[in-house]
Structures are given as C-alpha cells and as structure tokens.
Amino acid sequence: MAERQRRLVAVSNRVGPLSDEGKAGGLAVGLSDALKRRGGLWFGWSGNTSDEGTFREAETVIQDHVSMTTIDMNKEELEGFYLHYANRSLWPLLHYRLDLAEFDRQSDRIYRSVNQRFAARLAPLLEPDDLVWVHDYHFFYLGSELRQCGFKGRIGFFLHIPFCAPEIFTALPASHDIVRAMLAYDVVGFQTDTDRRNFANFCVRELGGEKLPGHRIRVGDRTIVAKAFPIGIDATGYARFAVSPEAGEHEEMLRDLAGERLQIVGVDRMDYSKGLVERFKGFERLLEDYPENRGKVQFLQVAPLSRSELDAYVELRRELEELAGHINGRFATLDWTPIQIMTRGFTRRALAGIYRAARVCLVTPLRDGMNLVAKEFVAAQDPSDPGVLILSRFAGARAELENDALVVNPYSTDDVARALQRALTMPFDERSRRWEGMREAVFAGTAETWCDNFIGELETFDGSGGEVAGAPA
Ligand code: GDG
C-alpha cells in the first residue's frame, strides 16, 4: 500500500491567495500548488490589527483541501515585529545595508515574542508527522519556539532574501541567538550558494560548528541540512499571461506610444535594495555618452510603493522623482520624454504585456535574494522579437542566467550605460540565442520544482526533528 503523504503546513507572514487571480507572486504560486496537491494548512498573519492581537480567535478559510488560518497582531506587535525589527533591522542588514539598519532592545523583544505567539497558536493545530515549512526573515525564531511547545516533527525554513556575510551579520546584537534558533530547523534553504556559504561560515566561525558532507552542518548536538533552492516562477502560466488579451492591450499601447523608439523597462517594488537611483544615473549616462540614443529610446520604470510607513522609503521616492525630473529637464524635447516613473501597480497580465513590449529590461538590484522580475521578463518574451535582460551581478538570479543576460555591476554608472548601449544595438540573432538560453533555465527551475525539491529534502531528512541528531528515534 502506498504510504500516506504527510500533510504540508506552510507558515508565512502573509497567507494566500490560493487561486491565481493575477495577484500572486512566486511564493504564493509555488506554495499554493504544493498545498493543493497534498492538502494542507497555511498559517500566518491576517493583515489586520486588533486590540487582542495574537490572542484573538483565529480565522480559517477552507478552499481546495487547504485551510488558510490567520491571526491578528495588535498595533504594538505590528510596529515592533514587522515595521521595526523585520523591516528596519533585518531587511537592510541582510541586504548589506548596515548604514540603514537600526537596532533596539524593544523591537528585538517584540519580534521574539511575536514568533513565540505564532508558534503557540500553531502548535495545537499540528499533527506529529506534519511537514512544517516556515518562510522568510519574519520567523527566524518560530522553529525553535515550536520545539519549545513540544513539536518533534520535521520543520524546514526558507529565506527569500540574501543571507549576508558574517562580517556584516555579526553587527546585529542578536545574531548568535538568531542563528542558534535556526538550528532548530531540520532543513534551512537559501536562494543561492553564496547565501548558504555565508550561513555555514557564520556557524563555523561564530558558533564553533563544522561543515559535513551532504550539505550538512553540525553545531553542538544539532546537525541540519543547509542548501540552496533557487526559487522560480510558473513559467508556462506566465508565458500564457503574456499572450492574454489584457497583456496584448498593454503591449500594443506601449508600442504605439514608443513608435520607432526602443522601449527600456524596469519593474520593482520601490525599495532601496533594487538599485533604482543607480539605474536612473546609468540611463542618464547612456544619453550623455551615446548621444545617438537621444530621441530614440524611452525608459519606463514601474515602481509600486511599498512600506511607505518607513522614512527610508519616503526619501527614496522623493529622490527618484527628483532624478527623473532632472533627466527629463536635461534631455527632453517637445516630442520626447526620456524617462517615466509610475508608482501605481499593474495586474500581472498587464505587466506581462509591458515586458513583452520592451527591447531591454533593467534588473539592477544592489542586492536581491533571487529577483523574479528577471525570470518573468524572460518567460513573457515574443520568440520572434525577444528582448535583452541586463542583470545585476548581485541578484540571486545571476546564478542561473549569467551566461545569457548582460551582467553588470549596478554601482557602476559606466557599466550600466555600456550594457544598455550593447543591448540596444544587439543584432536579432544574438538576442534570440541569448533569450533561448535564459528561457531554458527559467522553464527548468520553476516554482513547482523549487517546492518539490525543498519538500523532498525535508521528507528525506534523516535526523529526527527536535531530537539530538544521531540519537535513536
Ligand atoms: C522577495 C525577495 C525574491 C512588481 N510590480 C508589480 C508586481 N510586481 C511583482 C513582480 C514580481 C514581484 O512583484 C517582485 O518579486 P521580486 O522577486 O522581484 O522581489 P521582492 O518583492 O523583493 O521579493 C526576492 C522573492 O522574494 C521570492 O523569493 O525573488 O529576491 O526580495 O513577481 O512581478 N505585480 C503586480 N503589479 C505590479 O505593478 N501585479
């Protein structure tokens, strides 16, 4: 008789959506497929605040054999956990921005207590043979808190953003506590091998651990698997989006507006990690150093606002709008606006049409865990007229796309300008060959394979969760 499949329990800050209404990102697409296939539970924050916060009754919605259970936070929890510790301490630090990271005792305390509260609410819902999969930097302590609650089953963790070098991570006052807590997970997944190596080096240098064969790390009496699992997109689904009527309308609109001009696009949440200021300067340098492009290219940057409660994000928006104004003021003519920035969002289908209308896509983050935009751009291209991807050497996606994207140092204005010039003048045969190479990679490493690989690793993990590794189960 076939063995019963273990139930999958996913934990992430935001839950859903399960059906792809055009809003879901890579995480939601990959996870919801796996949850629907195996049946499961998806647990996280409701997106609401209430006075009782994490003590308030949970809400559950059941759809396609998946229970989506969410709990509230109160205002203090949301501030300390999400706005402060997650997004003002951990996010900048893990993206190598020590200059922007702020640390304080109060938010450290609230972050730990929210992790503890989420674990306490989740533990009674778990069965011993569940596979628990925790996502991202909001929940570093959740696994160890679940162990405190007595859960001995398998728990995996995946970090969607980079894990910075130990020299930087040690600046976080709680760095040792966090990595020790991560050792309560059985499998810890990263986007790239660089992130995995940084984590392993921290374990060795700071905690006296040891690297073992088979991607294992031992620290004291814990042995865990730490490995890279690069996230992908639903490439087939995305390619289908790109030929939908809604995509077609947007593609056409943009092509009509561009006329003979070549279209350059960028699509990013407005975040300082995405390298937008440097990118705009690279575009300006293109117009300075290669004047033949004046009047012949136009650059559309889609940058939906995110985390606008935080000062660093408000300041970034101001700086970008000013810079776009400066570039337009300097180069625009009566019938040509070189650069346009839009802070409104589009549906995913509309976005696919925008990618398809572009000759060049600029993906130049200063640091990025993976960057799904790079993969979406590739999946959306028209084979009879594919565009060129300019990709930062500091994006996780580089590992899979570096042979065929034009890889740049996003800090170098000259490098970005040179790559733009090369992309804009690239002959069809080379564009097509490069796109084919990237297409293969994007269709090989999808959201589904990412999910299956991670879950497979967790399922076959041979230590017994929560027990001393090597001890009889
Ligand atoms: C984190 C990590 C990692 C953008 N504008 C619109 C819109 N988007 C969508 C894109 C893409 C998603 O947002 C952004 O994903 P990224 O991967 O580029 O970046 P983060 O949001 O920072 O995600 C990252 C990812 O987690 C997954 O592990 O790759 O490194 O930082 O899907 O298309 N979507 C819609 N309208 C927009 O205007 N609908």
Side-chain angles (χ1 to χ4, degrees):
M1 205 175 75
E3 214 181 298
R4 193 174 69 86
Q5 260 201 344
R6 291 160 181 267
R7 180 174 73 147
L8 178 62
V9 176
V11 185
S12 56
N13 186 46
R14 298 311 298 270
V15 170
L18 260 195
S19 54
D20 195 345
E21 293 302 326
K23 285 185 297 192
L27 164 71
V29 171
L31 263 183
S32 59
D33 278 356
L35 284 162
K36 280 190 272 189
R37 269 185 281 141
R38 320 173 61 102
L41 168 65
W42 196 345
F43 183 80
W45 177 43
S46 62
N48 300 321
T49 53
S50 61
D51 290 348
E52 304 106 295
T54 54
F55 288 88
R56 181 148 185 235
E57 203 181 329
E59 291 208 0
T60 298
V61 176
I62 301 176
Q63 197 189 324
D64 297 329
H65 314 290
V66 182
S67 304
M68 289 182 284
T69 300
T70 55
I71 59 173
D72 287 358
M73 281 190 253
N74 65 30
K75 282 223 172 79
E76 192 198 26
E77 288 170 330
L78 182 67
E79 279 262 313
F81 161 80
Y82 180 75
L83 285 177
H84 209 130
Y85 203 75
N87 286 328
R88 261 194 285 209
S89 304
L90 294 174
W91 176 274
L93 185 76
L94 289 163
H95 285 89
Y96 292 73
R97 292 298 300 268
L98 200 41
D99 58 319
L100 293 177
E102 294 172 28
F103 310 122
D104 76 89
R105 210 159 54 166
Q106 168 85 338
S107 61
D108 176 312
R109 182 184 63 73
I110 298 174
Y111 177 85
R112 291 177 201 242
S113 98
V114 168
N115 272 249
Q116 190 277 326
R117 289 293 310 139
F118 272 69
R121 298 300 303 275
L122 175 60
L125 310 177
L126 296 179
E127 305 287 343
D129 68 346
D130 281 345
L131 291 176
V132 181
W133 188 6
V134 179
H135 291 263
D136 231 1
Y137 61 104
H138 310 96
F139 292 125
F140 281 125
Y141 293 109
L142 194 104
S144 92
E145 291 294 346
L146 279 177
R147 300 290 184 216
Q148 294 289 320
C149 295
F151 183 69
K152 293 190 166 47
R154 313 257 166 108
I155 319 180
F157 175 83
F158 184 79
L159 184 65
H160 289 259
I161 67 175
F163 194 91
C164 63
E167 288 75 7
I168 293 177
F169 197 59
T170 42
L172 180 70
S175 63
H176 280 222
D177 290 356
I178 284 186
V179 176
R180 279 195 191 286
M182 288 170 79
L183 297 165
Y185 295 110
D186 298 310
V187 176
V188 175
F190 299 95
Q191 299 276 23
T192 66
D193 207 52
T194 307
D195 302 316
R196 181 207 54 81
R197 207 170 41 240
N198 285 337
F199 173 78
N201 287 342
F202 188 99
C203 291
V204 172
R205 289 184 214 156
E206 295 292 321
L207 304 178
E210 179 185 8
K211 295 182 198 174
L212 302 173
H215 303 286
R216 286 174 311 143
I217 296 174
R218 175 162 57 216
V219 180
D221 57 12
R222 283 290 295 160
T223 301
I224 66 163
V225 169
K227 203 172 157 182
F229 298 88
I231 195 170
I233 61 165
D234 170 13
T236 310
Y238 208 86
R240 216 177 297 131
F241 272 179
V243 291
S244 65
E246 193 182 348
E249 266 167 41
H250 283 78
E251 182 185 353
E252 217 166 288
M253 211 185 318
L254 209 52
R255 284 191 189 276
D256 282 353
L257 282 172
E260 294 295 299
R261 295 184 181 120
L262 295 180
Q263 182 71 51
I264 303 168
V265 301
V267 175
D268 308 76
R269 271 188 312 101
M270 193 181 282
D271 192 293
Y272 49 78
S273 66
K274 303 293 182 185
L276 297 170
V277 170
E278 293 74 6
R279 186 182 304 173
F280 281 22
K281 289 183 178 161
F283 178 68
E284 182 179 22
R285 182 64 51 86
L286 172 84
L287 301 179
E288 269 168 9
D289 286 5
Y290 305 92
E292 63 272 31
N293 291 299
R294 295 181 195 169
K296 299 286 187 327
V297 297
Q298 60 185 34
F299 176 19
L300 168 65
Q301 176 66 52
V302 176
L305 300 178
S306 77
R307 305 177 193 166
S308 358
E309 306 88 341
L310 301 178
D311 291 347
Y313 291 75
V314 175
E315 173 57 23
L316 175 65
R317 179 182 185 181
R318 197 197 52 73
E319 194 177 352
L320 283 172
E321 286 175 348
E322 211 174 280
L323 197 50
H326 159 79
I327 296 169
N328 284 335
R330 188 170 165 204
F331 293 103
T333 54
L334 276 180
D335 62 350
W336 175 55
T337 308
I339 184 168
Q340 189 185 5
I341 178 167
M342 292 184 62
T343 53
R344 58 159 276 213
F346 289 90
T347 66
R348 281 169 66 74
R349 286 183 179 78
L351 213 52
I354 293 175
Y355 289 139
R356 209 171 157 93
R359 171 59 62 89
V360 184
C361 183
L362 275 168
V363 178
T364 55
L366 305 179
R367 283 285 159 182
D368 219 329
M370 175 53 65
N371 196 294
L372 296 177
V373 167
K375 296 186 172 183
E376 292 166 357
F377 172 74
V378 171
Q381 292 310 294
D382 177 352
S384 69
D385 185 24
V388 182
L389 176 66
I390 297 183
L391 182 62
S392 162
R393 59 176 298 137
F394 302 117
R398 173 193 173 183
E400 291 155 282
L401 303 177
E402 66 184 344
N403 288 340
D404 295 301
L406 299 184
V407 175
V408 294
N409 171 4
Y411 292 93
S412 164
T413 311
D414 288 338
D415 205 14
V416 173
R418 265 194 306 268
L420 272 170
Q421 175 66 3
R422 189 168 166 207
L424 292 163
T425 54
M426 189 180 285
F428 172 80
D429 287 354
E430 185 180 351
R431 264 195 285 144
S432 180
R433 181 173 46 74
R434 286 177 178 273
W435 173 71
E436 280 291 347
M438 293 193 286
R439 185 187 175 279
E440 220 165 273
V442 169
F443 277 74
T446 61
E448 193 178 338
T449 54
W450 167 72
C451 238
D452 289 350
N453 291 340
F454 189 94
I455 294 168
E457 191 74 44
L458 193 56
E459 244 169 348
T460 52
F461 178 75
D462 61 6
S464 47
E467 303 292 327
V468 174

